[in-house]
Amino acid sequence: MISRAGEGREDGDVIRVVIADDQRVTRDGLALLVGLNEGMAVVALAADGAEALAVALEHQPDVVLMDLSMPVMDGIAATAALAEQLPDTPVLILSTYADDASIFPALRAGAKGYLTKDAGSERIEEAIRAVHAGQTFMDPVVQQRLVAAVAGGALPGATAAAPAAPVPTAAAGTTVTPSTWGSPGPAAEGGLTDREREVLVLIAEGLSNTEIAQRLYLGQATVKTHVNRIFAKTGARDRAQAVRYAYRAGIVRPGG
């Protein structure tokens, strides 16, 4: 499915987009969504990172919308290759995951924006236009992880042999250059929503994402998003740390 929403306009007025996602339903849905936006056209679709690189080199798009978890070549490797071979083509990550192990490698690889897959159509359109204009665009959860990491004095994911590039913060429009990389920062301020607290309680009970989805009548992707947001807000790197936070914060009580 290739969108031609930009037909009839001058090429220079149309933002030409390549979409890479290994899930066909997601890929086709994004193509339809992006193609409905005025002045945007989807010029190619890709099912993995290697294909994304190949079609991007062929079509020379203005923006690449990239998933992270894909076969053959993942989104991080594809982003790094695109940054090297098509440095003027910004990559916007659209991923289910919003943990440190996903965010920071993607940004270091050269991604100019990062959204989670619960982003609405308006936010996706805004992000595409922003990165096309040379700006950065970060999901609020990603911004929270950046702030937490900077507040902790270090950003995870890099090594001394490969110092990190400056990390742009979309909200402030400034640049922070970390000198070292290490453990995540302290828990973010702001607290959890009622739904996130519900999910955290069920995590503490030992339920899997599938079981939580069944208990709360939610989709598994929605539960995964809630879990990622819990990690971001509490500074937890895994479920065990999230459970420890739940007990420290009094959200869960022993024997309760």
Side-chain angles (χ1 to χ4, degrees):
M1 178 190 299
I2 304 298
S3 168
R4 299 298 181 188
E7 287 184 347
R9 299 168 62 103
E10 295 295 327
D11 287 347
D13 296 334
V14 177
I15 301 175
R16 302 168 67 252
V17 181
V18 163
I19 296 174
D21 195 293
D22 64 328
Q23 298 292 325
R24 182 174 181 178
V25 171
T26 301
R27 198 166 59 240
D28 289 349
L30 286 170
L32 179 61
L33 183 153
V34 171
L36 290 174
N37 293 318
E38 180 71 15
M40 291 187 188
V42 178
V43 296
L45 304 177
D48 58 64
E51 187 178 3
L53 179 59
V55 297
L57 291 172
E58 177 185 354
H59 293 278
Q60 304 283 307
D62 298 304
V63 175
V64 176
L65 192 58
M66 183 83 73
D67 187 22
L68 286 184
S69 181
M70 294 185 291
V72 185
M73 176 189 289
D74 65 25
I76 292 172
T79 297
L82 284 168
E84 180 179 352
Q85 299 183 49
L86 290 175
D88 295 330
T89 299
V91 174
L92 172 61
I93 300 298
L94 183 62
S95 175
T96 303
Y97 304 102
D99 56 342
D100 291 354
S102 301
I103 295 169
F104 294 108
L107 296 181
R108 292 181 65 230
K112 301 304 182 185
Y114 197 116
L115 292 176
T116 57
K117 285 187 175 178
D118 65 334
S121 59
E122 291 182 358
R123 183 172 292 275
I124 293 173
E125 178 188 1
E126 184 182 3
I128 291 172
R129 296 193 189 280
V131 299
H132 177 248
Q135 304 168 9
T136 59
F137 196 99
M138 304 294 165
D139 187 278
V141 170
V142 177
Q143 292 185 34
Q144 288 174 349
R145 295 306 306 145
L146 289 170
V147 170
V150 172
L155 295 177
T159 64
V167 178
T169 57
T174 58
T175 295
V176 178
T177 305
S179 57
T180 58
W181 297 62
S183 59
E189 297 291 340
L192 304 173
T193 66
D194 289 343
R195 177 64 82 185
E196 288 162 356
R197 291 169 69 93
E198 278 186 286
V199 171
L200 183 53
V201 169
L202 296 178
I203 290 173
E205 291 181 11
L207 273 63
S208 67
N209 284 3
T210 300
E211 292 168 332
I212 293 172
Q214 293 171 348
R215 180 77 65 88
L216 299 179
Y217 301 100
L218 299 173
Q220 291 192 45
T222 300
V223 171
K224 187 176 291 185
T225 297
H226 284 313
V227 172
N228 286 332
R229 290 186 183 278
I230 290 167
F231 287 176
K233 291 182 178 182
T234 64
R237 299 187 66 177
D238 55 32
R239 296 171 89 90
Q241 289 188 5
V243 170
R244 285 197 292 271
Y245 173 89
Y247 279 100
R248 289 199 309 268
I251 297 172
V252 176
R253 291 179 174 81

